[in-house]
Amino acid sequence: MSDTPVIRLAHTSQLEEDELDGIRQLLDEAFDGDFGEEDFEHALGGMHALAYGPDGELLAHGSVVQRRVLHLGRALRCGYAEAVAVRPGARRRGLGGAVMAALEEVVARAYALGALSASDEGAALYESRGWTVWGGRIGALSPDGPVRLAEEEGTTYVWVPEGGALPDSAGELWFDWRDGDVL
């Protein structure tokens, strides 16, 4: 049997309850218990890339959900990567890259750009895949009006599909609002 992971792409609506439970367990393990219910909620409603080992064990996960982002007065459809994680015992085997490749394919086919908020541990993976740190201001359109998210500056990455144009990175990105961590 091959060690090559099986990657499955599925919309949240196609996942069974036990699959969602398995994803949640993987995220709890991968993030050492620091992955809250709102974080999990943010990962739902879009496409999931699931990496399974030869024995059928879920080893890695990532999802991409639609967000709206304002840039230079234009609302862009953004594929936002969420809950990218690899089970601790399966790291450094290319699973994160395989999950990201599947998510990037979704972004390339459906969105103007991809975005994500990277942890220090995850930044090298995204950079190696051509994601770049956004150089301008980051903010959100809250119920009370625009709110700058200075703590997200330097950790928010963008990716533009081949043939697309990278927005002016000196400009501002204003993301739609959501409960919990906005980015």
Side-chain angles (χ1 to χ4, degrees), residues 78-81 100 113-135 138 152-160 166 173 175 183:
C78 175
Y80 200 86
M100 287 305 298
L113 77 154
L116 58 81
S117 181
S119 65
D120 291 340
E121 297 81 20
L125 168 65
Y126 308 125
E127 290 171 1
S128 74
R129 300 198 55 78
W131 291 71
T132 58
V133 174
W134 185 257
I138 300 291
E152 297 293 341
E153 293 167 6
T155 63
T156 299
Y157 285 69
V158 296
W159 181 83
V160 177
L166 184 65
L173 290 181
F175 288 88
L183 294 188

PDB file of all heavy atoms in Angstrom, residues 78-81 100 113-135 138 152-160 166 173 175 183:
ATOM      1  N   CYS A  78     -13.156  36.645  -1.907  1.00  0.00           N
ATOM      2  CA  CYS A  78     -11.910  36.122  -1.363  1.00  0.00           C
ATOM      3  C   CYS A  78     -12.128  34.714  -0.826  1.00  0.00           C
ATOM      4  O   CYS A  78     -13.068  34.477  -0.064  1.00  0.00           O
ATOM      5  CB  CYS A  78     -11.439  37.057  -0.245  1.00  0.00           C
ATOM      6  SG  CYS A  78      -9.983  36.501   0.642  1.00  0.00           S
ATOM      7  N   GLY A  79     -11.272  33.796  -1.207  1.00  0.00           N
ATOM      8  CA  GLY A  79     -11.266  32.461  -0.623  1.00  0.00           C
ATOM      9  C   GLY A  79     -10.348  32.492   0.587  1.00  0.00           C
ATOM     10  O   GLY A  79      -9.134  32.661   0.454  1.00  0.00           O
ATOM     11  N   TYR A  80     -10.937  32.373   1.767  1.00  0.00           N
ATOM     12  CA  TYR A  80     -10.175  32.517   3.007  1.00  0.00           C
ATOM     13  C   TYR A  80      -9.860  31.136   3.567  1.00  0.00           C
ATOM     14  O   TYR A  80     -10.767  30.349   3.854  1.00  0.00           O
ATOM     15  CB  TYR A  80     -10.968  33.355   4.009  1.00  0.00           C
ATOM     16  CG  TYR A  80     -10.104  33.947   5.081  1.00  0.00           C
ATOM     17  CD1 TYR A  80      -9.456  35.154   4.882  1.00  0.00           C
ATOM     18  CD2 TYR A  80      -9.907  33.286   6.282  1.00  0.00           C
ATOM     19  CE1 TYR A  80      -8.639  35.704   5.857  1.00  0.00           C
ATOM     20  CE2 TYR A  80      -9.092  33.821   7.267  1.00  0.00           C
ATOM     21  CZ  TYR A  80      -8.452  35.025   7.044  1.00  0.00           C
ATOM     22  OH  TYR A  80      -7.635  35.560   8.009  1.00  0.00           O
ATOM     23  N   ALA A  81      -8.579  30.820   3.691  1.00  0.00           N
ATOM     24  CA  ALA A  81      -8.150  29.513   4.205  1.00  0.00           C
ATOM     25  C   ALA A  81      -8.284  29.482   5.722  1.00  0.00           C
ATOM     26  O   ALA A  81      -7.872  30.412   6.417  1.00  0.00           O
ATOM     27  CB  ALA A  81      -6.717  29.223   3.785  1.00  0.00           C
ATOM     28  N   MET A 100      -2.871  22.413   1.082  1.00  0.00           N
ATOM     29  CA  MET A 100      -2.855  23.760   0.512  1.00  0.00           C
ATOM     30  C   MET A 100      -2.985  23.725  -1.005  1.00  0.00           C
ATOM     31  O   MET A 100      -3.658  24.583  -1.588  1.00  0.00           O
ATOM     32  CB  MET A 100      -1.593  24.513   0.926  1.00  0.00           C
ATOM     33  CG  MET A 100      -1.586  24.969   2.378  1.00  0.00           C
ATOM     34  SD  MET A 100      -3.025  25.974   2.840  1.00  0.00           S
ATOM     35  CE  MET A 100      -2.843  27.388   1.753  1.00  0.00           C
ATOM     36  N   LEU A 113      -8.864  36.233  -5.110  1.00  0.00           N
ATOM     37  CA  LEU A 113      -7.635  36.033  -4.357  1.00  0.00           C
ATOM     38  C   LEU A 113      -7.910  35.150  -3.160  1.00  0.00           C
ATOM     39  O   LEU A 113      -9.059  34.953  -2.760  1.00  0.00           O
ATOM     40  CB  LEU A 113      -7.018  37.350  -3.893  1.00  0.00           C
ATOM     41  CG  LEU A 113      -7.646  38.057  -2.697  1.00  0.00           C
ATOM     42  CD1 LEU A 113      -6.605  38.908  -2.015  1.00  0.00           C
ATOM     43  CD2 LEU A 113      -8.806  38.930  -3.132  1.00  0.00           C
ATOM     44  N   GLY A 114      -6.837  34.628  -2.603  1.00  0.00           N
ATOM     45  CA  GLY A 114      -6.903  33.871  -1.362  1.00  0.00           C
ATOM     46  C   GLY A 114      -6.286  34.701  -0.263  1.00  0.00           C
ATOM     47  O   GLY A 114      -5.440  35.565  -0.513  1.00  0.00           O
ATOM     48  N   ALA A 115      -6.706  34.444   0.964  1.00  0.00           N
ATOM     49  CA  ALA A 115      -6.116  35.120   2.124  1.00  0.00           C
ATOM     50  C   ALA A 115      -6.157  34.161   3.303  1.00  0.00           C
ATOM     51  O   ALA A 115      -6.937  33.206   3.321  1.00  0.00           O
ATOM     52  CB  ALA A 115      -6.865  36.411   2.452  1.00  0.00           C
ATOM     53  N   LEU A 116      -5.317  34.430   4.276  1.00  0.00           N
ATOM     54  CA  LEU A 116      -5.299  33.652   5.510  1.00  0.00           C
ATOM     55  C   LEU A 116      -4.515  34.413   6.565  1.00  0.00           C
ATOM     56  O   LEU A 116      -3.750  35.323   6.255  1.00  0.00           O
ATOM     57  CB  LEU A 116      -4.702  32.254   5.295  1.00  0.00           C
ATOM     58  CG  LEU A 116      -3.274  32.138   4.735  1.00  0.00           C
ATOM     59  CD1 LEU A 116      -2.215  32.328   5.811  1.00  0.00           C
ATOM     60  CD2 LEU A 116      -3.092  30.788   4.081  1.00  0.00           C
ATOM     61  N   SER A 117      -4.729  34.036   7.793  1.00  0.00           N
ATOM     62  CA  SER A 117      -3.960  34.572   8.912  1.00  0.00           C
ATOM     63  C   SER A 117      -3.042  33.456   9.389  1.00  0.00           C
ATOM     64  O   SER A 117      -3.519  32.390   9.793  1.00  0.00           O
ATOM     65  CB  SER A 117      -4.894  35.020  10.046  1.00  0.00           C
ATOM     66  OG  SER A 117      -4.141  35.558  11.108  1.00  0.00           O
ATOM     67  N   ALA A 118      -1.739  33.673   9.308  1.00  0.00           N
ATOM     68  CA  ALA A 118      -0.764  32.621   9.590  1.00  0.00           C
ATOM     69  C   ALA A 118      -0.218  32.701  11.007  1.00  0.00           C
ATOM     70  O   ALA A 118       0.073  33.783  11.507  1.00  0.00           O
ATOM     71  CB  ALA A 118       0.394  32.705   8.606  1.00  0.00           C
ATOM     72  N   SER A 119      -0.064  31.537  11.601  1.00  0.00           N
ATOM     73  CA  SER A 119       0.671  31.437  12.856  1.00  0.00           C
ATOM     74  C   SER A 119       2.161  31.482  12.525  1.00  0.00           C
ATOM     75  O   SER A 119       2.562  31.297  11.371  1.00  0.00           O
ATOM     76  CB  SER A 119       0.342  30.114  13.560  1.00  0.00           C
ATOM     77  OG  SER A 119       0.816  29.023  12.775  1.00  0.00           O
ATOM     78  N   ASP A 120       2.981  31.686  13.530  1.00  0.00           N
ATOM     79  CA  ASP A 120       4.428  31.658  13.305  1.00  0.00           C
ATOM     80  C   ASP A 120       4.857  30.306  12.752  1.00  0.00           C
ATOM     81  O   ASP A 120       5.716  30.226  11.872  1.00  0.00           O
ATOM     82  CB  ASP A 120       5.183  31.949  14.605  1.00  0.00           C
ATOM     83  CG  ASP A 120       5.023  33.377  15.080  1.00  0.00           C
ATOM     84  OD1 ASP A 120       4.657  34.247  14.258  1.00  0.00           O
ATOM     85  OD2 ASP A 120       5.256  33.634  16.283  1.00  0.00           O
ATOM     86  N   GLU A 121       4.230  29.224  13.257  1.00  0.00           N
ATOM     87  CA  GLU A 121       4.591  27.877  12.824  1.00  0.00           C
ATOM     88  C   GLU A 121       4.178  27.617  11.379  1.00  0.00           C
ATOM     89  O   GLU A 121       4.835  26.866  10.663  1.00  0.00           O
ATOM     90  CB  GLU A 121       3.937  26.825  13.737  1.00  0.00           C
ATOM     91  CG  GLU A 121       4.379  26.884  15.180  1.00  0.00           C
ATOM     92  CD  GLU A 121       3.658  27.963  15.999  1.00  0.00           C
ATOM     93  OE1 GLU A 121       2.558  28.416  15.590  1.00  0.00           O
ATOM     94  OE2 GLU A 121       4.204  28.357  17.033  1.00  0.00           O
ATOM     95  N   GLY A 122       3.083  28.207  10.931  1.00  0.00           N
ATOM     96  CA  GLY A 122       2.573  27.939   9.593  1.00  0.00           C
ATOM     97  C   GLY A 122       3.123  28.840   8.504  1.00  0.00           C
ATOM     98  O   GLY A 122       3.016  28.525   7.318  1.00  0.00           O
ATOM     99  N   ALA A 123       3.731  29.959   8.875  1.00  0.00           N
ATOM    100  CA  ALA A 123       4.157  30.954   7.893  1.00  0.00           C
ATOM    101  C   ALA A 123       5.096  30.385   6.833  1.00  0.00           C
ATOM    102  O   ALA A 123       4.959  30.701   5.646  1.00  0.00           O
ATOM    103  CB  ALA A 123       4.805  32.143   8.594  1.00  0.00           C
ATOM    104  N   ALA A 124       6.040  29.544   7.214  1.00  0.00           N
ATOM    105  CA  ALA A 124       7.007  29.008   6.248  1.00  0.00           C
ATOM    106  C   ALA A 124       6.316  28.175   5.174  1.00  0.00           C
ATOM    107  O   ALA A 124       6.696  28.240   4.000  1.00  0.00           O
ATOM    108  CB  ALA A 124       8.069  28.173   6.963  1.00  0.00           C
ATOM    109  N   LEU A 125       5.293  27.409   5.543  1.00  0.00           N
ATOM    110  CA  LEU A 125       4.552  26.627   4.556  1.00  0.00           C
ATOM    111  C   LEU A 125       3.921  27.549   3.527  1.00  0.00           C
ATOM    112  O   LEU A 125       4.064  27.335   2.312  1.00  0.00           O
ATOM    113  CB  LEU A 125       3.464  25.785   5.237  1.00  0.00           C
ATOM    114  CG  LEU A 125       2.433  25.142   4.295  1.00  0.00           C
ATOM    115  CD1 LEU A 125       3.095  24.105   3.393  1.00  0.00           C
ATOM    116  CD2 LEU A 125       1.288  24.539   5.087  1.00  0.00           C
ATOM    117  N   TYR A 126       3.242  28.582   3.977  1.00  0.00           N
ATOM    118  CA  TYR A 126       2.545  29.474   3.052  1.00  0.00           C
ATOM    119  C   TYR A 126       3.526  30.233   2.165  1.00  0.00           C
ATOM    120  O   TYR A 126       3.307  30.367   0.959  1.00  0.00           O
ATOM    121  CB  TYR A 126       1.633  30.430   3.823  1.00  0.00           C
ATOM    122  CG  TYR A 126       0.712  29.689   4.765  1.00  0.00           C
ATOM    123  CD1 TYR A 126       0.673  29.989   6.119  1.00  0.00           C
ATOM    124  CD2 TYR A 126      -0.103  28.651   4.319  1.00  0.00           C
ATOM    125  CE1 TYR A 126      -0.157  29.294   6.982  1.00  0.00           C
ATOM    126  CE2 TYR A 126      -0.929  27.953   5.168  1.00  0.00           C
ATOM    127  CZ  TYR A 126      -0.947  28.271   6.505  1.00  0.00           C
ATOM    128  OH  TYR A 126      -1.761  27.579   7.355  1.00  0.00           O
ATOM    129  N   GLU A 127       4.608  30.705   2.751  1.00  0.00           N
ATOM    130  CA  GLU A 127       5.619  31.417   1.961  1.00  0.00           C
ATOM    131  C   GLU A 127       6.222  30.505   0.892  1.00  0.00           C
ATOM    132  O   GLU A 127       6.451  30.936  -0.239  1.00  0.00           O
ATOM    133  CB  GLU A 127       6.709  31.973   2.872  1.00  0.00           C
ATOM    134  CG  GLU A 127       6.220  33.127   3.729  1.00  0.00           C
ATOM    135  CD  GLU A 127       7.212  33.556   4.804  1.00  0.00           C
ATOM    136  OE1 GLU A 127       8.321  32.976   4.896  1.00  0.00           O
ATOM    137  OE2 GLU A 127       6.860  34.479   5.566  1.00  0.00           O
ATOM    138  N   SER A 128       6.451  29.237   1.242  1.00  0.00           N
ATOM    139  CA  SER A 128       7.037  28.303   0.276  1.00  0.00           C
ATOM    140  C   SER A 128       6.097  28.032  -0.893  1.00  0.00           C
ATOM    141  O   SER A 128       6.536  27.585  -1.952  1.00  0.00           O
ATOM    142  CB  SER A 128       7.410  26.984   0.959  1.00  0.00           C
ATOM    143  OG  SER A 128       6.249  26.207   1.247  1.00  0.00           O
ATOM    144  N   ARG A 129       4.818  28.328  -0.729  1.00  0.00           N
ATOM    145  CA  ARG A 129       3.816  28.083  -1.766  1.00  0.00           C
ATOM    146  C   ARG A 129       3.451  29.358  -2.525  1.00  0.00           C
ATOM    147  O   ARG A 129       2.519  29.370  -3.317  1.00  0.00           O
ATOM    148  CB  ARG A 129       2.579  27.452  -1.154  1.00  0.00           C
ATOM    149  CG  ARG A 129       2.894  26.109  -0.467  1.00  0.00           C
ATOM    150  CD  ARG A 129       1.690  25.286  -0.242  1.00  0.00           C
ATOM    151  NE  ARG A 129       0.950  25.074  -1.471  1.00  0.00           N
ATOM    152  CZ  ARG A 129       1.262  24.200  -2.431  1.00  0.00           C
ATOM    153  NH1 ARG A 129       2.321  23.430  -2.288  1.00  0.00           N
ATOM    154  NH2 ARG A 129       0.521  24.098  -3.520  1.00  0.00           N
ATOM    155  N   GLY A 130       4.164  30.455  -2.254  1.00  0.00           N
ATOM    156  CA  GLY A 130       3.930  31.687  -2.998  1.00  0.00           C
ATOM    157  C   GLY A 130       2.942  32.648  -2.361  1.00  0.00           C
ATOM    158  O   GLY A 130       2.581  33.653  -2.974  1.00  0.00           O
ATOM    159  N   TRP A 131       2.491  32.360  -1.156  1.00  0.00           N
ATOM    160  CA  TRP A 131       1.651  33.314  -0.431  1.00  0.00           C
ATOM    161  C   TRP A 131       2.555  34.427   0.090  1.00  0.00           C
ATOM    162  O   TRP A 131       3.696  34.171   0.484  1.00  0.00           O
ATOM    163  CB  TRP A 131       0.938  32.623   0.731  1.00  0.00           C
ATOM    164  CG  TRP A 131      -0.116  31.648   0.305  1.00  0.00           C
ATOM    165  CD1 TRP A 131       0.089  30.431  -0.291  1.00  0.00           C
ATOM    166  CD2 TRP A 131      -1.535  31.786   0.445  1.00  0.00           C
ATOM    167  NE1 TRP A 131      -1.111  29.815  -0.537  1.00  0.00           N
ATOM    168  CE2 TRP A 131      -2.123  30.621  -0.093  1.00  0.00           C
ATOM    169  CE3 TRP A 131      -2.348  32.774   0.973  1.00  0.00           C
ATOM    170  CZ2 TRP A 131      -3.500  30.428  -0.116  1.00  0.00           C
ATOM    171  CZ3 TRP A 131      -3.716  32.569   0.954  1.00  0.00           C
ATOM    172  CH2 TRP A 131      -4.283  31.412   0.408  1.00  0.00           C
ATOM    173  N   THR A 132       2.069  35.664   0.067  1.00  0.00           N
ATOM    174  CA  THR A 132       2.887  36.789   0.502  1.00  0.00           C
ATOM    175  C   THR A 132       2.189  37.571   1.613  1.00  0.00           C
ATOM    176  O   THR A 132       0.956  37.690   1.624  1.00  0.00           O
ATOM    177  CB  THR A 132       3.200  37.745  -0.670  1.00  0.00           C
ATOM    178  OG1 THR A 132       1.975  38.207  -1.232  1.00  0.00           O
ATOM    179  CG2 THR A 132       4.018  37.045  -1.741  1.00  0.00           C
ATOM    180  N   VAL A 133       2.998  38.110   2.504  1.00  0.00           N
ATOM    181  CA  VAL A 133       2.460  38.935   3.586  1.00  0.00           C
ATOM    182  C   VAL A 133       1.893  40.212   2.982  1.00  0.00           C
ATOM    183  O   VAL A 133       2.532  40.851   2.138  1.00  0.00           O
ATOM    184  CB  VAL A 133       3.560  39.295   4.614  1.00  0.00           C
ATOM    185  CG1 VAL A 133       3.042  40.274   5.655  1.00  0.00           C
ATOM    186  CG2 VAL A 133       4.091  38.047   5.289  1.00  0.00           C
ATOM    187  N   TRP A 134       0.689  40.570   3.400  1.00  0.00           N
ATOM    188  CA  TRP A 134       0.082  41.817   2.944  1.00  0.00           C
ATOM    189  C   TRP A 134       0.839  42.975   3.556  1.00  0.00           C
ATOM    190  O   TRP A 134       1.042  43.026   4.771  1.00  0.00           O
ATOM    191  CB  TRP A 134      -1.395  41.872   3.332  1.00  0.00           C
ATOM    192  CG  TRP A 134      -2.049  43.081   2.769  1.00  0.00           C
ATOM    193  CD1 TRP A 134      -2.368  44.223   3.439  1.00  0.00           C
ATOM    194  CD2 TRP A 134      -2.421  43.296   1.413  1.00  0.00           C
ATOM    195  NE1 TRP A 134      -2.917  45.142   2.583  1.00  0.00           N
ATOM    196  CE2 TRP A 134      -2.973  44.594   1.318  1.00  0.00           C
ATOM    197  CE3 TRP A 134      -2.348  42.529   0.258  1.00  0.00           C
ATOM    198  CZ2 TRP A 134      -3.435  45.126   0.123  1.00  0.00           C
ATOM    199  CZ3 TRP A 134      -2.815  43.052  -0.930  1.00  0.00           C
ATOM    200  CH2 TRP A 134      -3.351  44.337  -0.987  1.00  0.00           C
ATOM    201  N   GLY A 135       1.278  43.924   2.729  1.00  0.00           N
ATOM    202  CA  GLY A 135       2.104  45.026   3.203  1.00  0.00           C
ATOM    203  C   GLY A 135       1.339  46.223   3.729  1.00  0.00           C
ATOM    204  O   GLY A 135       1.914  47.085   4.389  1.00  0.00           O
ATOM    205  N   ILE A 138      -4.704  46.315   7.585  1.00  0.00           N
ATOM    206  CA  ILE A 138      -5.736  45.284   7.647  1.00  0.00           C
ATOM    207  C   ILE A 138      -6.833  45.791   8.572  1.00  0.00           C
ATOM    208  O   ILE A 138      -6.549  46.350   9.641  1.00  0.00           O
ATOM    209  CB  ILE A 138      -5.175  43.955   8.207  1.00  0.00           C
ATOM    210  CG1 ILE A 138      -4.041  43.422   7.333  1.00  0.00           C
ATOM    211  CG2 ILE A 138      -6.288  42.919   8.394  1.00  0.00           C
ATOM    212  CD1 ILE A 138      -4.468  42.925   5.978  1.00  0.00           C
ATOM    213  N   GLU A 152      -3.137  42.014  13.094  1.00  0.00           N
ATOM    214  CA  GLU A 152      -3.152  41.094  11.953  1.00  0.00           C
ATOM    215  C   GLU A 152      -2.175  41.514  10.853  1.00  0.00           C
ATOM    216  O   GLU A 152      -1.923  40.753   9.917  1.00  0.00           O
ATOM    217  CB  GLU A 152      -4.563  40.969  11.366  1.00  0.00           C
ATOM    218  CG  GLU A 152      -5.578  40.379  12.317  1.00  0.00           C
ATOM    219  CD  GLU A 152      -5.315  38.919  12.653  1.00  0.00           C
ATOM    220  OE1 GLU A 152      -4.580  38.235  11.907  1.00  0.00           O
ATOM    221  OE2 GLU A 152      -5.847  38.452  13.682  1.00  0.00           O
ATOM    222  N   GLU A 153      -1.653  42.727  10.968  1.00  0.00           N
ATOM    223  CA  GLU A 153      -0.701  43.209   9.965  1.00  0.00           C
ATOM    224  C   GLU A 153       0.627  42.484  10.175  1.00  0.00           C
ATOM    225  O   GLU A 153       1.125  42.391  11.288  1.00  0.00           O
ATOM    226  CB  GLU A 153      -0.565  44.728  10.079  1.00  0.00           C
ATOM    227  CG  GLU A 153      -1.869  45.410   9.680  1.00  0.00           C
ATOM    228  CD  GLU A 153      -1.944  46.886  10.039  1.00  0.00           C
ATOM    229  OE1 GLU A 153      -0.941  47.463  10.511  1.00  0.00           O
ATOM    230  OE2 GLU A 153      -3.034  47.460   9.858  1.00  0.00           O
ATOM    231  N   GLY A 154       1.145  41.926   9.125  1.00  0.00           N
ATOM    232  CA  GLY A 154       2.372  41.143   9.204  1.00  0.00           C
ATOM    233  C   GLY A 154       2.111  39.652   9.318  1.00  0.00           C
ATOM    234  O   GLY A 154       3.029  38.848   9.164  1.00  0.00           O
ATOM    235  N   THR A 155       0.859  39.263   9.597  1.00  0.00           N
ATOM    236  CA  THR A 155       0.512  37.837   9.664  1.00  0.00           C
ATOM    237  C   THR A 155      -0.595  37.464   8.683  1.00  0.00           C
ATOM    238  O   THR A 155      -0.979  36.307   8.603  1.00  0.00           O
ATOM    239  CB  THR A 155       0.072  37.430  11.085  1.00  0.00           C
ATOM    240  OG1 THR A 155      -1.111  38.142  11.439  1.00  0.00           O
ATOM    241  CG2 THR A 155       1.173  37.686  12.102  1.00  0.00           C
ATOM    242  N   THR A 156      -1.115  38.434   7.943  1.00  0.00           N
ATOM    243  CA  THR A 156      -2.139  38.164   6.939  1.00  0.00           C
ATOM    244  C   THR A 156      -1.454  37.986   5.588  1.00  0.00           C
ATOM    245  O   THR A 156      -0.716  38.862   5.134  1.00  0.00           O
ATOM    246  CB  THR A 156      -3.170  39.304   6.878  1.00  0.00           C
ATOM    247  OG1 THR A 156      -3.796  39.410   8.157  1.00  0.00           O
ATOM    248  CG2 THR A 156      -4.223  39.034   5.818  1.00  0.00           C
ATOM    249  N   TYR A 157      -1.693  36.824   4.994  1.00  0.00           N
ATOM    250  CA  TYR A 157      -1.077  36.456   3.721  1.00  0.00           C
ATOM    251  C   TYR A 157      -2.129  36.459   2.626  1.00  0.00           C
ATOM    252  O   TYR A 157      -3.299  36.165   2.877  1.00  0.00           O
ATOM    253  CB  TYR A 157      -0.457  35.054   3.812  1.00  0.00           C
ATOM    254  CG  TYR A 157       0.832  35.007   4.576  1.00  0.00           C
ATOM    255  CD1 TYR A 157       0.867  35.206   5.953  1.00  0.00           C
ATOM    256  CD2 TYR A 157       2.041  34.761   3.928  1.00  0.00           C
ATOM    257  CE1 TYR A 157       2.055  35.160   6.666  1.00  0.00           C
ATOM    258  CE2 TYR A 157       3.237  34.716   4.633  1.00  0.00           C
ATOM    259  CZ  TYR A 157       3.239  34.914   5.993  1.00  0.00           C
ATOM    260  OH  TYR A 157       4.425  34.876   6.687  1.00  0.00           O
ATOM    261  N   VAL A 158      -1.690  36.775   1.411  1.00  0.00           N
ATOM    262  CA  VAL A 158      -2.570  36.727   0.247  1.00  0.00           C
ATOM    263  C   VAL A 158      -1.911  35.879  -0.839  1.00  0.00           C
ATOM    264  O   VAL A 158      -0.684  35.734  -0.884  1.00  0.00           O
ATOM    265  CB  VAL A 158      -2.915  38.126  -0.300  1.00  0.00           C
ATOM    266  CG1 VAL A 158      -3.713  38.928   0.720  1.00  0.00           C
ATOM    267  CG2 VAL A 158      -1.676  38.882  -0.728  1.00  0.00           C
ATOM    268  N   TRP A 159      -2.757  35.341  -1.703  1.00  0.00           N
ATOM    269  CA  TRP A 159      -2.311  34.523  -2.827  1.00  0.00           C
ATOM    270  C   TRP A 159      -3.238  34.814  -3.989  1.00  0.00           C
ATOM    271  O   TRP A 159      -4.459  34.868  -3.815  1.00  0.00           O
ATOM    272  CB  TRP A 159      -2.379  33.045  -2.447  1.00  0.00           C
ATOM    273  CG  TRP A 159      -1.926  32.092  -3.499  1.00  0.00           C
ATOM    274  CD1 TRP A 159      -0.636  31.728  -3.778  1.00  0.00           C
ATOM    275  CD2 TRP A 159      -2.746  31.356  -4.406  1.00  0.00           C
ATOM    276  NE1 TRP A 159      -0.617  30.818  -4.807  1.00  0.00           N
ATOM    277  CE2 TRP A 159      -1.917  30.566  -5.199  1.00  0.00           C
ATOM    278  CE3 TRP A 159      -4.121  31.293  -4.618  1.00  0.00           C
ATOM    279  CZ2 TRP A 159      -2.391  29.730  -6.198  1.00  0.00           C
ATOM    280  CZ3 TRP A 159      -4.610  30.460  -5.612  1.00  0.00           C
ATOM    281  CH2 TRP A 159      -3.740  29.680  -6.387  1.00  0.00           C
ATOM    282  N   VAL A 160      -2.662  35.041  -5.148  1.00  0.00           N
ATOM    283  CA  VAL A 160      -3.451  35.348  -6.335  1.00  0.00           C
ATOM    284  C   VAL A 160      -3.221  34.240  -7.349  1.00  0.00           C
ATOM    285  O   VAL A 160      -2.072  33.875  -7.634  1.00  0.00           O
ATOM    286  CB  VAL A 160      -3.047  36.720  -6.925  1.00  0.00           C
ATOM    287  CG1 VAL A 160      -3.812  37.006  -8.194  1.00  0.00           C
ATOM    288  CG2 VAL A 160      -3.283  37.812  -5.898  1.00  0.00           C
ATOM    289  N   LEU A 166      -2.128  40.861  -8.405  1.00  0.00           N
ATOM    290  CA  LEU A 166      -2.066  41.111  -6.978  1.00  0.00           C
ATOM    291  C   LEU A 166      -2.539  42.528  -6.716  1.00  0.00           C
ATOM    292  O   LEU A 166      -2.040  43.468  -7.341  1.00  0.00           O
ATOM    293  CB  LEU A 166      -0.633  40.935  -6.457  1.00  0.00           C
ATOM    294  CG  LEU A 166      -0.433  41.077  -4.961  1.00  0.00           C
ATOM    295  CD1 LEU A 166      -1.173  39.963  -4.225  1.00  0.00           C
ATOM    296  CD2 LEU A 166       1.040  41.032  -4.611  1.00  0.00           C
ATOM    297  N   LEU A 173      -6.877  46.362   3.197  1.00  0.00           N
ATOM    298  CA  LEU A 173      -7.840  45.283   3.017  1.00  0.00           C
ATOM    299  C   LEU A 173      -8.833  45.352   4.166  1.00  0.00           C
ATOM    300  O   LEU A 173      -8.432  45.326   5.339  1.00  0.00           O
ATOM    301  CB  LEU A 173      -7.160  43.910   3.037  1.00  0.00           C
ATOM    302  CG  LEU A 173      -6.275  43.535   1.861  1.00  0.00           C
ATOM    303  CD1 LEU A 173      -5.706  42.130   2.059  1.00  0.00           C
ATOM    304  CD2 LEU A 173      -7.034  43.615   0.542  1.00  0.00           C
ATOM    305  N   PHE A 175     -11.935  43.357   5.663  1.00  0.00           N
ATOM    306  CA  PHE A 175     -12.661  42.092   5.628  1.00  0.00           C
ATOM    307  C   PHE A 175     -14.041  42.244   6.239  1.00  0.00           C
ATOM    308  O   PHE A 175     -14.265  43.079   7.120  1.00  0.00           O
ATOM    309  CB  PHE A 175     -11.879  41.014   6.397  1.00  0.00           C
ATOM    310  CG  PHE A 175     -10.651  40.555   5.669  1.00  0.00           C
ATOM    311  CD1 PHE A 175      -9.447  41.219   5.834  1.00  0.00           C
ATOM    312  CD2 PHE A 175     -10.699  39.462   4.816  1.00  0.00           C
ATOM    313  CE1 PHE A 175      -8.304  40.796   5.164  1.00  0.00           C
ATOM    314  CE2 PHE A 175      -9.574  39.035   4.140  1.00  0.00           C
ATOM    315  CZ  PHE A 175      -8.382  39.703   4.310  1.00  0.00           C
ATOM    316  N   LEU A 183     -10.091  37.632  11.833  1.00  0.00           N
ATOM    317  CA  LEU A 183      -9.238  36.993  10.811  1.00  0.00           C
ATOM    318  C   LEU A 183      -8.646  35.734  11.337  1.00  0.00           C
ATOM    319  O   LEU A 183      -8.482  35.253  12.266  1.00  0.00           O
ATOM    320  CB  LEU A 183      -8.133  37.916  10.353  1.00  0.00           C
ATOM    321  CG  LEU A 183      -8.597  39.151   9.603  1.00  0.00           C
ATOM    322  CD1 LEU A 183      -7.410  39.892   9.022  1.00  0.00           C
ATOM    323  CD2 LEU A 183      -9.527  38.803   8.466  1.00  0.00           C
TER     324      LEU A 183
END
